[in-house]
Amino acid sequence: MANYTIAVGWSGKDALADSDAGKVISGADFNTEFTAVQTAVNTKADLAGSASQAFSATTAGAGTNTTQVATTAFVTSALTAATINALVYPVGSIYFNAAVSTNPATLLGFGTWVAYAAGRVPVGKAASGTFDTLNEEQGAETHTLSIAEMPSHTHGYQKHTGNSALSIHDISHTVNSYANTQTTSTGGGTAHNNIQPSITVYMWRRTA
């Protein structure tokens, strides 16, 4: 697109003496000047624009943050899928997929990702307490209760109360001495299921 440049030396004509025939403005002068104007105007794009009109502009760099016009080349470069995904998933983000095991670096086209929290369910970080440290692993799938963890309870047992012979327990009390007795035991001591309702997915964490 050409810029308009004055074609006739008008100031030079003004400097001529009135008697100089060159000072006369002719129709040819007007034709020359308006042809130059016409050429310049015709090469400018309409504000409405059209596909057939060329538009010259400097393509801005990726970090440009000014009022510079964004060309289609700039927009195409800045808004690639990888660029958008990188904004959506900054470093530290977690990506879930319930069907595809492909590493997000390949699947999404950006970043460094590592498999994360295998066999574990995420929980929000707390300001204090058990969950106050990021990436700290807690809990287990199964757990066997210790004696201290068992609910406080008692077991009943039977002793003779009629005319039959006294039990060992009663005899021991009769002579002011004590004997330990035990009830029958039950239970197998097997670890119990400790899993909350869960669903399995592929999980990745972006590290770079």
Side-chain angles (χ1 to χ4, degrees), residues 25-95:
I25 299 175
S26 65
D29 291 331
F30 282 111
N31 183 67
T32 299
E33 196 63 46
F34 284 114
T35 297
V37 173
Q38 181 185 42
T39 300
V41 170
N42 288 347
T43 61
K44 301 295 181 181
D46 293 334
L47 290 179
S50 79
S52 63
Q53 291 173 332
F55 180 76
S56 177
T58 301
T59 297
T64 301
N65 187 21
T66 65
T67 56
Q68 183 175 349
V69 173
T71 63
T72 54
F74 171 80
V75 174
T76 299
S77 174
L79 297 183
T80 61
T83 302
I84 295 174
N85 286 334
L87 294 175
V88 175
Y89 293 102
V91 172
S93 296
I94 298 175
Y95 170 82

Side-chain angles (χ1 to χ4, degrees), residues 99-133:
V100 181
S101 63
T102 304
N103 189 303
T106 300
L107 192 64
L108 303 179
F110 75 98
T112 300
W113 298 79
V114 295
Y116 184 70
R120 295 186 174 272
V121 176
V123 63
K125 181 186 177 301
S128 60
T130 303
F131 304 108
D132 63 350
T133 303

